[in-house]
Amino acid sequence: MALTPLDIHNKEFSRSFRGYDEDQVNEFLDQVIKDYEALIRENKDLQNQTVTLQERLDHFTNIEDSLSKTIIVAQEAADEVRSNAKKEAQLILKEAEKNADRIINESLTRSRKVALEIEELKKQASIYRTRFRTLLEAQLELLNTEGWQSMQFETKDE
């Protein structure tokens, strides 16, 4: 058990014939009591300060841990967002390429169809022209025949 200032104050020594001077011993004990009380107070203050500092250290350690966890979570979230953005960009790019291929294929198909229609129209125009020419030539031939000319004269005479 630790010695207290009260223990020092209450300590009594037995008296002997050639002992120490009682007043000097009492003065010394009073000084020891004062110093011991001061040390105890200082020790208590230091213990209280140590407890306070330990509480602050624990508080700041908790804040540091929380910040570290928050930073890790934020980094993971940023990585996830970046990954999702890359995936979305790839999907958009694939979709755009697919649409571009589809548009090109549709345009080529339409172009071929229009080219075929143009060729068909050219053939029909050529056929029409040939038929029309044949019709005109037949009509000219009919006009140039003698029967037609004789019909013309007969109507003039009448």
Side-chain angles (χ1 to χ4, degrees), residues 21-105:
D21 182 6
E22 190 176 332
D23 289 336
Q24 284 182 351
V25 169
N26 284 337
E27 280 180 35
F28 181 73
L29 287 175
D30 286 341
Q31 184 63 42
V32 168
I33 289 170
K34 286 179 189 174
D35 290 346
Y36 195 67
E37 283 177 340
L39 285 174
I40 288 174
R41 273 193 305 276
E42 184 180 348
N43 191 17
K44 284 258 188 220
D45 289 343
L46 289 173
Q47 285 177 351
N48 288 339
Q49 190 176 9
T50 301
V51 168
T52 303
L53 290 174
Q54 185 62 45
E55 288 172 354
R56 288 182 68 194
L57 178 64
D58 291 344
H59 175 71
F60 288 123
T61 302
N62 287 338
I63 290 174
E64 180 184 18
D65 290 344
S66 295
L67 288 174
S68 295
K69 289 176 184 174
T70 302
I71 289 171
I72 289 171
V73 168
Q75 286 174 338
E76 289 173 353
D79 290 344
E80 187 176 336
V81 166
R82 190 176 313 125
S83 174
N84 287 341
K86 279 184 180 179
K87 287 177 185 176
E88 189 173 342
Q90 288 172 347
L91 287 174
I92 289 170
L93 186 60
K94 284 181 183 179
E95 187 68 27
E97 288 173 351
K98 198 164 122 181
N99 283 340
D101 287 344
R102 181 184 52 79
I103 290 169
I104 289 171
N105 288 336

Coordinates of all heavy atoms in Angstrom, one line a residue, residues 21-105:
D21 N 17.1 15.3 17.1 CA 16.4 16.5 17.6 C 15.0 16.4 17.1 O 14.7 16.4 15.9 CB 17.1 17.7 17.2 CG 16.5 19.0 17.7 OD1 15.5 18.9 18.5 OD2 16.8 20.1 17.3
E22 N 14.0 16.4 18.0 CA 12.6 16.2 17.7 C 12.1 17.3 16.8 O 11.4 17.1 15.8 CB 11.8 16.2 19.0 CG 10.4 15.8 18.7 CD 9.6 15.6 20.0 OE1 10.2 15.3 21.1 OE2 8.4 15.8 19.9
D23 N 12.5 18.6 17.0 CA 12.0 19.7 16.2 C 12.5 19.6 14.7 O 11.8 19.8 13.8 CB 12.5 21.0 16.8 CG 11.7 21.3 18.1 OD1 10.6 20.8 18.2 OD2 12.3 22.1 18.9
Q24 N 13.8 19.2 14.6 CA 14.4 19.0 13.3 C 13.6 17.9 12.5 O 13.3 18.0 11.3 CB 15.9 18.7 13.3 CG 16.7 19.9 13.7 CD 18.2 19.6 13.7 OE1 18.6 18.4 13.6 NE2 19.0 20.6 13.8
V25 N 13.4 16.8 13.2 CA 12.7 15.7 12.6 C 11.3 16.1 12.2 O 10.8 15.8 11.1 CB 12.7 14.4 13.5 CG1 11.7 13.4 13.0 CG2 14.0 13.9 13.7
N26 N 10.6 16.8 13.1 CA 9.2 17.3 12.7 C 9.2 18.3 11.5 O 8.4 18.2 10.7 CB 8.6 17.9 14.0 CG 8.1 16.9 15.0 OD1 7.9 15.7 14.6 ND2 8.0 17.3 16.2
E27 N 10.2 19.2 11.5 CA 10.3 20.1 10.4 C 10.6 19.4 9.1 O 10.0 19.7 8.1 CB 11.5 21.1 10.7 CG 11.1 22.3 11.6 CD 12.3 23.2 11.8 OE1 13.1 23.4 10.8 OE2 12.4 23.8 12.8
F28 N 11.5 18.4 9.2 CA 11.8 17.6 8.0 C 10.6 16.8 7.5 O 10.3 16.8 6.3 CB 13.0 16.7 8.3 CG 13.4 15.8 7.1 CD1 14.0 16.4 6.0 CD2 13.0 14.5 7.0 CE1 14.4 15.7 4.9 CE2 13.3 13.8 5.9 CZ 14.0 14.3 4.9
L29 N 9.8 16.2 8.5 CA 8.7 15.5 8.1 C 7.6 16.4 7.5 O 6.9 16.0 6.6 CB 8.1 14.7 9.3 CG 8.9 13.5 9.8 CD1 8.3 12.9 11.1 CD2 8.9 12.5 8.7
D30 N 7.5 17.6 8.1 CA 6.5 18.6 7.5 C 6.9 18.9 6.0 O 6.0 19.0 5.2 CB 6.5 19.9 8.3 CG 5.7 19.7 9.7 OD1 5.0 18.7 9.8 OD2 5.9 20.5 10.6
Q31 N 8.2 19.1 5.8 CA 8.6 19.4 4.5 C 8.4 18.2 3.6 O 7.9 18.3 2.4 CB 10.1 19.7 4.5 CG 10.7 20.1 3.1 CD 10.0 21.4 2.6 OE1 9.8 22.4 3.4 NE2 9.7 21.4 1.3
V32 N 8.6 17.0 4.0 CA 8.4 15.8 3.3 C 6.9 15.6 2.9 O 6.5 15.3 1.8 CB 8.9 14.5 4.0 CG1 8.4 13.2 3.4 CG2 10.4 14.5 4.1
I33 N 6.0 16.0 3.9 CA 4.6 15.9 3.7 C 4.2 16.9 2.6 O 3.4 16.5 1.7 CB 3.9 16.2 5.1 CG1 4.0 15.1 6.0 CG2 2.4 16.5 4.8 CD1 3.5 15.4 7.5
K34 N 4.7 18.1 2.7 CA 4.3 19.1 1.7 C 4.8 18.7 0.3 O 4.0 18.7 -0.7 CB 5.0 20.5 2.0 CG 4.3 21.2 3.2 CD 5.1 22.5 3.4 CE 4.6 23.1 4.7 NZ 5.3 24.3 5.1
D35 N 6.0 18.2 0.2 CA 6.6 17.8 -1.1 C 5.8 16.6 -1.6 O 5.5 16.5 -2.8 CB 8.1 17.5 -1.0 CG 8.9 18.7 -0.8 OD1 8.4 19.8 -0.9 OD2 10.1 18.5 -0.4
Y36 N 5.5 15.7 -0.7 CA 4.8 14.4 -1.0 C 3.4 14.8 -1.5 O 2.9 14.3 -2.5 CB 4.8 13.5 0.1 CG 4.4 12.1 -0.2 CD1 5.2 11.3 -1.0 CD2 3.2 11.5 0.2 CE1 4.8 10.0 -1.4 CE2 2.8 10.2 -0.1 CZ 3.7 9.5 -0.9 OH 3.3 8.2 -1.3
E37 N 2.7 15.7 -0.8 CA 1.4 16.2 -1.2 C 1.4 16.8 -2.6 O 0.6 16.6 -3.5 CB 0.8 17.1 -0.2 CG 0.2 16.5 1.0 CD -0.3 17.5 2.1 OE1 0.1 18.7 2.0 OE2 -1.1 17.0 2.9
A38 N 2.5 17.6 -2.8 CA 2.6 18.3 -4.1 C 2.8 17.3 -5.2 O 2.3 17.4 -6.3 CB 3.8 19.3 -4.1
L39 N 3.7 16.3 -4.9 CA 3.9 15.2 -5.9 C 2.6 14.4 -6.2 O 2.3 14.1 -7.4 CB 5.0 14.3 -5.4 CG 6.4 14.8 -5.5 CD1 7.4 13.8 -4.9 CD2 6.8 15.1 -6.9
I40 N 1.9 14.2 -5.2 CA 0.6 13.4 -5.4 C -0.4 14.3 -6.2 O -1.0 13.7 -7.2 CB 0.0 13.0 -4.0 CG1 0.8 11.9 -3.3 CG2 -1.5 12.6 -4.2 CD1 0.3 11.6 -1.9
R41 N -0.5 15.6 -5.9 CA -1.3 16.4 -6.7 C -0.9 16.5 -8.1 O -1.6 16.4 -9.1 CB -1.4 17.9 -6.1 CG -2.4 18.0 -5.0 CD -2.6 19.5 -4.7 NE -1.4 20.2 -4.3 CZ -0.9 20.3 -3.1 NH1 -1.5 19.6 -2.1 NH2 0.2 20.9 -2.8
E42 N 0.5 16.6 -8.3 CA 1.0 16.7 -9.7 C 0.8 15.4 -10.4 O 0.4 15.4 -11.6 CB 2.5 17.0 -9.6 CG 3.2 17.2 -11.0 CD 4.7 17.5 -10.8 OE1 5.2 17.8 -9.7 OE2 5.3 17.4 -11.9
N43 N 0.9 14.3 -9.7 CA 0.7 13.0 -10.3 C -0.8 12.8 -10.7 O -1.1 12.4 -11.8 CB 1.1 11.9 -9.3 CG 1.1 10.5 -9.9 OD1 1.1 10.4 -11.1 ND2 1.1 9.5 -9.1
K44 N -1.7 13.3 -9.8 CA -3.1 13.2 -10.1 C -3.4 14.1 -11.4 O -4.2 13.7 -12.3 CB -4.0 13.7 -9.0 CG -4.1 12.7 -7.9 CD -5.5 12.1 -8.0 CE -5.6 11.2 -6.7 NZ -6.2 10.0 -7.0
D45 N -2.9 15.3 -11.4 CA -3.1 16.2 -12.5 C -2.5 15.6 -13.8 O -3.2 15.6 -14.8 CB -2.4 17.6 -12.3 CG -3.0 18.4 -11.2 OD1 -4.2 18.1 -10.9 OD2 -2.4 19.4 -10.7
L46 N -1.4 15.0 -13.7 CA -0.8 14.3 -14.9 C -1.6 13.1 -15.3 O -1.8 12.9 -16.5 CB 0.7 13.9 -14.6 CG 1.7 15.0 -14.5 CD1 3.0 14.5 -14.1 CD2 1.8 15.8 -15.8
Q47 N -2.2 12.4 -14.3 CA -3.0 11.3 -14.7 C -4.3 11.8 -15.4 O -4.8 11.2 -16.4 CB -3.4 10.5 -13.4 CG -2.3 9.6 -12.9 CD -2.6 8.8 -11.6 OE1 -3.7 9.1 -11.0 NE2 -1.8 7.9 -11.2
N48 N -4.9 12.9 -14.8 CA -6.1 13.4 -15.4 C -5.8 13.9 -16.8 O -6.6 13.8 -17.8 CB -6.6 14.6 -14.6 CG -7.3 14.1 -13.3 OD1 -7.7 12.9 -13.2 ND2 -7.4 15.0 -12.3
Q49 N -4.6 14.6 -16.9 CA -4.2 15.1 -18.3 C -4.0 13.9 -19.2 O -4.4 14.0 -20.4 CB -2.9 15.9 -18.1 CG -2.5 16.7 -19.3 CD -1.3 17.6 -19.1 OE1 -0.7 17.5 -18.1 NE2 -1.0 18.4 -20.1
T50 N -3.4 12.9 -18.7 CA -3.2 11.7 -19.5 C -4.5 11.1 -20.0 O -4.6 10.7 -21.2 CB -2.3 10.6 -18.7 OG1 -1.1 11.2 -18.3 CG2 -2.1 9.4 -19.6
V51 N -5.5 11.0 -19.1 CA -6.8 10.5 -19.4 C -7.4 11.4 -20.5 O -8.0 10.9 -21.5 CB -7.7 10.4 -18.2 CG1 -9.1 10.1 -18.5 CG2 -7.2 9.3 -17.2
T52 N -7.3 12.7 -20.3 CA -7.9 13.6 -21.2 C -7.2 13.5 -22.6 O -7.9 13.4 -23.6 CB -7.8 15.1 -20.7 OG1 -8.4 15.2 -19.5 CG2 -8.4 16.1 -21.7
L53 N -5.9 13.4 -22.6 CA -5.2 13.3 -23.8 C -5.5 11.9 -24.5 O -5.6 11.9 -25.7 CB -3.7 13.5 -23.6 CG -3.2 14.9 -23.2 CD1 -1.7 14.9 -22.9 CD2 -3.5 15.8 -24.4
Q54 N -5.6 10.9 -23.7 CA -5.9 9.6 -24.2 C -7.3 9.6 -24.9 O -7.5 9.0 -26.0 CB -5.9 8.5 -23.2 CG -6.1 7.1 -23.7 CD -5.0 6.7 -24.7 OE1 -3.8 6.9 -24.5 NE2 -5.4 6.1 -25.8
E55 N -8.3 10.3 -24.2 CA -9.6 10.4 -24.8 C -9.6 11.2 -26.1 O -10.2 10.8 -27.1 CB -10.6 11.1 -23.8 CG -10.9 10.3 -22.6 CD -11.7 11.0 -21.5 OE1 -11.9 12.3 -21.7 OE2 -12.2 10.4 -20.6
R56 N -8.8 12.3 -26.1 CA -8.7 13.0 -27.4 C -8.0 12.2 -28.5 O -8.4 12.2 -29.6 CB -7.9 14.3 -27.1 CG -8.6 15.3 -26.3 CD -7.9 16.6 -26.2 NE -7.7 17.3 -27.4 CZ -6.9 18.3 -27.6 NH1 -6.1 18.7 -26.6 NH2 -6.8 18.9 -28.8
L57 N -7.0 11.4 -28.0 CA -6.3 10.6 -29.0 C -7.2 9.5 -29.6 O -7.2 9.3 -30.8 CB -5.1 9.9 -28.3 CG -4.3 8.9 -29.2 CD1 -3.6 9.7 -30.4 CD2 -3.2 8.2 -28.4
D58 N -8.0 8.9 -28.7 CA -9.0 7.9 -29.1 C -10.0 8.6 -30.1 O -10.4 8.0 -31.1 CB -9.7 7.3 -27.9 CG -8.8 6.4 -27.1 OD1 -7.8 6.0 -27.6 OD2 -9.2 6.1 -25.9
H59 N -10.4 9.8 -29.7 CA -11.4 10.5 -30.6 C -10.8 10.7 -32.0 O -11.4 10.5 -33.0 CB -11.8 11.8 -29.9 CG -12.6 12.7 -30.7 ND1 -14.0 12.4 -31.0 CD2 -12.4 13.9 -31.4 CE1 -14.5 13.3 -31.8 NE2 -13.5 14.3 -32.0
F60 N -9.6 11.2 -32.0 CA -8.9 11.5 -33.3 C -8.6 10.2 -34.0 O -8.7 10.2 -35.3 CB -7.7 12.4 -33.1 CG -8.0 13.8 -32.7 CD1 -7.4 14.4 -31.6 CD2 -8.8 14.6 -33.5 CE1 -7.7 15.7 -31.2 CE2 -9.1 15.9 -33.2 CZ -8.5 16.4 -32.1
T61 N -8.3 9.2 -33.3 CA -8.1 7.9 -33.9 C -9.4 7.4 -34.6 O -9.3 6.9 -35.7 CB -7.6 6.8 -32.9 OG1 -6.4 7.3 -32.3 CG2 -7.3 5.5 -33.6
N62 N -10.5 7.6 -33.9 CA -11.8 7.2 -34.5 C -12.1 8.0 -35.7 O -12.6 7.5 -36.7 CB -12.9 7.4 -33.4 CG -12.9 6.3 -32.4 OD1 -12.3 5.2 -32.6 ND2 -13.5 6.6 -31.2
I63 N -11.8 9.3 -35.6 CA -12.0 10.2 -36.8 C -11.1 9.7 -37.9 O -11.6 9.6 -39.1 CB -11.7 11.7 -36.4 CG1 -12.8 12.2 -35.5 CG2 -11.6 12.5 -37.7 CD1 -12.6 13.6 -35.0
E64 N -9.9 9.4 -37.6 CA -8.9 8.9 -38.7 C -9.5 7.7 -39.3 O -9.4 7.5 -40.5 CB -7.6 8.7 -38.1 CG -6.5 8.3 -39.1 CD -5.2 7.9 -38.5 OE1 -5.1 7.8 -37.2 OE2 -4.2 7.9 -39.2
D65 N -9.9 6.7 -38.5 CA -10.5 5.5 -39.0 C -11.7 5.7 -39.9 O -11.8 5.1 -40.9 CB -10.8 4.5 -37.8 CG -9.6 4.0 -37.1 OD1 -8.5 4.1 -37.7 OD2 -9.8 3.5 -36.0
S66 N -12.6 6.6 -39.4 CA -13.8 6.9 -40.2 C -13.4 7.6 -41.5 O -13.9 7.2 -42.5 CB -14.7 7.9 -39.4 OG -15.2 7.3 -38.2
L67 N -12.4 8.5 -41.5 CA -12.0 9.1 -42.7 C -11.3 8.1 -43.6 O -11.6 8.2 -44.9 CB -11.0 10.3 -42.4 CG -11.6 11.5 -41.8 CD1 -10.5 12.5 -41.4 CD2 -12.6 12.2 -42.7
S68 N -10.6 7.2 -43.1 CA -9.9 6.2 -43.9 C -11.0 5.3 -44.6 O -10.9 5.0 -45.8 CB -9.0 5.3 -43.1 OG -7.9 6.1 -42.6
K69 N -12.0 4.9 -43.8 CA -13.1 4.1 -44.3 C -13.8 4.9 -45.4 O -14.2 4.3 -46.4 CB -14.0 3.6 -43.2 CG -13.4 2.6 -42.3 CD -14.3 2.2 -41.2 CE -13.6 1.2 -40.2 NZ -14.4 0.9 -39.1
T70 N -14.1 6.2 -45.1 CA -14.8 7.0 -46.0 C -14.1 7.1 -47.3 O -14.6 7.1 -48.4 CB -15.1 8.4 -45.4 OG1 -15.8 8.2 -44.2 CG2 -15.9 9.3 -46.4
I71 N -12.8 7.3 -47.2 CA -11.9 7.5 -48.4 C -12.0 6.2 -49.2 O -12.1 6.2 -50.5 CB -10.5 7.9 -48.1 CG1 -10.5 9.3 -47.6 CG2 -9.5 7.7 -49.2 CD1 -9.1 9.8 -47.0
I72 N -11.9 5.0 -48.5 CA -11.9 3.7 -49.2 C -13.2 3.6 -49.9 O -13.3 3.2 -51.1 CB -11.6 2.6 -48.2 CG1 -10.2 2.6 -47.8 CG2 -12.0 1.3 -48.8 CD1 -9.8 1.7 -46.6
V73 N -14.3 3.9 -49.2 CA -15.7 3.8 -49.8 C -15.8 4.7 -51.0 O -16.3 4.3 -52.1 CB -16.8 4.1 -48.8 CG1 -18.1 4.2 -49.4 CG2 -16.8 2.9 -47.7
A74 N -15.3 5.9 -50.9 CA -15.3 6.9 -52.0 C -14.5 6.4 -53.2 O -15.0 6.5 -54.3 CB -14.8 8.3 -51.5
Q75 N -13.3 5.8 -52.9 CA -12.5 5.3 -54.0 C -13.2 4.1 -54.7 O -13.2 4.0 -55.9 CB -11.2 4.8 -53.5 CG -10.2 5.9 -53.1 CD -8.9 5.5 -52.5 OE1 -8.9 4.4 -51.9 NE2 -7.9 6.3 -52.5
E76 N -13.8 3.2 -53.9 CA -14.6 2.1 -54.4 C -15.8 2.6 -55.3 O -16.0 2.1 -56.4 CB -15.1 1.2 -53.3 CG -13.9 0.4 -52.7 CD -14.4 -0.4 -51.5 OE1 -15.6 -0.3 -51.1 OE2 -13.6 -1.2 -50.9
A77 N -16.4 3.6 -54.7 CA -17.6 4.2 -55.5 C -17.1 4.8 -56.8 O -17.7 4.7 -57.8 CB -18.3 5.2 -54.6
A78 N -16.0 5.6 -56.7 CA -15.4 6.2 -57.9 C -15.0 5.1 -58.9 O -15.3 5.3 -60.1 CB -14.3 7.1 -57.6
D79 N -14.4 4.1 -58.4 CA -14.0 3.0 -59.3 C -15.2 2.3 -60.0 O -15.2 2.0 -61.2 CB -13.2 1.9 -58.6 CG -11.8 2.4 -58.2 OD1 -11.4 3.4 -58.7 OD2 -11.2 1.7 -57.3
E80 N -16.3 2.1 -59.2 CA -17.5 1.5 -59.7 C -18.2 2.5 -60.7 O -18.6 2.0 -61.8 CB -18.5 1.2 -58.6 CG -19.7 0.5 -59.0 CD -20.6 0.1 -57.8 OE1 -20.1 0.0 -56.7 OE2 -21.8 -0.1 -58.1
V81 N -18.2 3.8 -60.4 CA -18.8 4.7 -61.4 C -18.0 4.7 -62.7 O -18.5 4.7 -63.8 CB -18.8 6.1 -60.8 CG1 -19.1 7.2 -61.8 CG2 -19.9 6.2 -59.7
R82 N -16.6 4.7 -62.5 CA -15.8 4.7 -63.7 C -16.0 3.4 -64.5 O -16.1 3.5 -65.8 CB -14.3 4.8 -63.3 CG -13.3 5.0 -64.4 CD -11.9 5.2 -63.9 NE -11.8 6.1 -62.8 CZ -11.2 5.8 -61.6 NH1 -10.7 4.7 -61.4 NH2 -11.2 6.7 -60.7
S83 N -16.1 2.3 -63.8 CA -16.3 1.0 -64.5 C -17.7 1.0 -65.2 O -17.8 0.6 -66.4 CB -16.3 -0.1 -63.5 OG -16.6 -1.3 -64.1
N84 N -18.7 1.5 -64.5 CA -20.0 1.6 -65.1 C -20.0 2.5 -66.3 O -20.7 2.2 -67.4 CB -21.1 2.0 -64.1 CG -21.4 0.9 -63.1 OD1 -21.1 -0.3 -63.3 ND2 -21.9 1.3 -62.0
A85 N -19.3 3.6 -66.2 CA -19.3 4.6 -67.3 C -18.6 3.9 -68.5 O -19.0 4.1 -69.7 CB -18.5 5.8 -66.9
K86 N -17.5 3.2 -68.3 CA -16.8 2.5 -69.4 C -17.8 1.5 -70.1 O -17.8 1.4 -71.3 CB -15.6 1.8 -68.9 CG -14.4 2.7 -68.7 CD -13.2 1.9 -68.3 CE -12.0 2.7 -68.1 NZ -10.8 1.9 -67.7
K87 N -18.5 0.7 -69.2 CA -19.4 -0.3 -69.8 C -20.5 0.4 -70.6 O -20.8 -0.1 -71.7 CB -20.0 -1.1 -68.6 CG -19.1 -2.1 -68.0 CD -19.7 -2.8 -66.9 CE -18.7 -3.7 -66.1 NZ -19.3 -4.4 -65.0
E88 N -21.0 1.5 -70.0 CA -22.1 2.2 -70.7 C -21.6 2.8 -72.0 O -22.3 2.7 -73.1 CB -22.7 3.3 -69.8 CG -23.9 3.9 -70.4 CD -24.6 4.9 -69.4 OE1 -24.3 4.8 -68.2 OE2 -25.4 5.7 -69.9
A89 N -20.4 3.3 -72.0 CA -19.8 3.9 -73.2 C -19.6 2.8 -74.3 O -19.9 3.0 -75.5 CB -18.5 4.6 -72.9
Q90 N -19.1 1.6 -73.8 CA -19.0 0.5 -74.8 C -20.3 0.1 -75.4 O -20.4 -0.2 -76.6 CB -18.3 -0.7 -74.1 CG -16.8 -0.4 -73.8 CD -16.2 -1.5 -72.9 OE1 -16.9 -2.3 -72.4 NE2 -14.9 -1.5 -72.8
L91 N -21.3 0.0 -74.5 CA -22.6 -0.3 -75.0 C -23.2 0.7 -76.0 O -23.7 0.3 -77.1 CB -23.6 -0.5 -73.9 CG -23.4 -1.7 -73.0 CD1 -24.4 -1.6 -71.8 CD2 -23.7 -3.0 -73.7
I92 N -23.0 2.0 -75.7 CA -23.4 3.0 -76.6 C -22.7 2.9 -77.9 O -23.3 3.0 -79.0 CB -23.2 4.4 -75.9 CG1 -24.2 4.6 -74.8 CG2 -23.4 5.5 -77.0 CD1 -24.0 5.8 -73.9
L93 N -21.4 2.7 -77.8 CA -20.6 2.6 -79.0 C -21.0 1.4 -79.9 O -21.2 1.5 -81.1 CB -19.1 2.4 -78.7 CG -18.1 2.4 -79.8 CD1 -18.2 3.7 -80.6 CD2 -16.7 2.2 -79.3
K94 N -21.2 0.2 -79.2 CA -21.7 -1.0 -80.0 C -23.0 -0.7 -80.6 O -23.3 -1.1 -81.8 CB -21.8 -2.2 -79.0 CG -20.4 -2.8 -78.7 CD -20.6 -4.0 -77.8 CE -19.2 -4.5 -77.4 NZ -19.3 -5.7 -76.5
E95 N -23.9 0.0 -79.9 CA -25.3 0.3 -80.4 C -25.1 1.2 -81.6 O -25.8 1.0 -82.6 CB -26.1 0.9 -79.3 CG -27.6 1.1 -79.7 CD -28.3 -0.2 -79.9 OE1 -28.0 -1.2 -79.3 OE2 -29.3 -0.2 -80.7
A96 N -24.3 2.2 -81.5 CA -24.1 3.2 -82.6 C -23.5 2.4 -83.8 O -23.9 2.7 -84.9 CB -23.1 4.3 -82.1
E97 N -22.5 1.5 -83.6 CA -22.0 0.8 -84.7 C -23.0 -0.1 -85.4 O -23.1 -0.2 -86.6 CB -20.8 -0.1 -84.2 CG -19.6 0.7 -83.9 CD -18.5 -0.1 -83.2 OE1 -18.7 -1.3 -82.9 OE2 -17.3 0.4 -83.1
K98 N -23.9 -0.7 -84.5 CA -24.9 -1.6 -85.0 C -25.9 -0.7 -85.9 O -26.3 -1.1 -87.0 CB -25.6 -2.2 -83.8 CG -26.5 -3.4 -84.1 CD -26.8 -4.1 -82.8 CE -28.2 -4.3 -82.6 NZ -28.6 -4.9 -81.4
N99 N -26.3 0.4 -85.3 CA -27.2 1.3 -86.1 C -26.6 1.8 -87.4 O -27.2 1.9 -88.4 CB -27.6 2.5 -85.2 CG -28.7 2.1 -84.2 OD1 -29.3 1.1 -84.3 ND2 -28.8 2.9 -83.1
A100 N -25.3 2.1 -87.3 CA -24.6 2.6 -88.5 C -24.6 1.5 -89.6 O -24.8 1.7 -90.7 CB -23.1 3.0 -88.2
D101 N -24.3 0.2 -89.1 CA -24.3 -0.9 -90.1 C -25.7 -1.1 -90.6 O -25.8 -1.3 -91.9 CB -23.8 -2.2 -89.3 CG -22.4 -2.2 -89.1 OD1 -21.6 -1.4 -89.7 OD2 -21.9 -3.0 -88.2
R102 N -26.7 -1.0 -89.8 CA -28.1 -1.2 -90.3 C -28.4 -0.1 -91.3 O -29.0 -0.4 -92.4 CB -29.0 -1.1 -89.1 CG -30.5 -1.3 -89.5 CD -31.4 -1.1 -88.3 NE -31.2 0.1 -87.5 CZ -31.7 1.3 -87.9 NH1 -32.4 1.5 -89.0 NH2 -31.5 2.4 -87.1
I103 N -28.0 1.2 -91.0 CA -28.4 2.3 -91.9 C -27.6 2.1 -93.2 O -28.2 2.3 -94.3 CB -28.0 3.6 -91.2 CG1 -29.0 3.9 -90.1 CG2 -28.0 4.8 -92.2 CD1 -28.5 5.1 -89.2
I104 N -26.4 1.7 -93.1 CA -25.6 1.4 -94.4 C -26.2 0.3 -95.2 O -26.4 0.4 -96.4 CB -24.1 1.1 -94.0 CG1 -23.4 2.4 -93.5 CG2 -23.4 0.5 -95.2 CD1 -22.0 2.1 -93.0
N105 N -26.6 -0.8 -94.5 CA -27.2 -1.9 -95.2 C -28.6 -1.5 -95.8 O -28.9 -1.8 -97.0 CB -27.4 -3.1 -94.3 CG -26.1 -3.8 -93.9 OD1 -25.2 -3.7 -94.7 ND2 -26.1 -4.5 -92.8

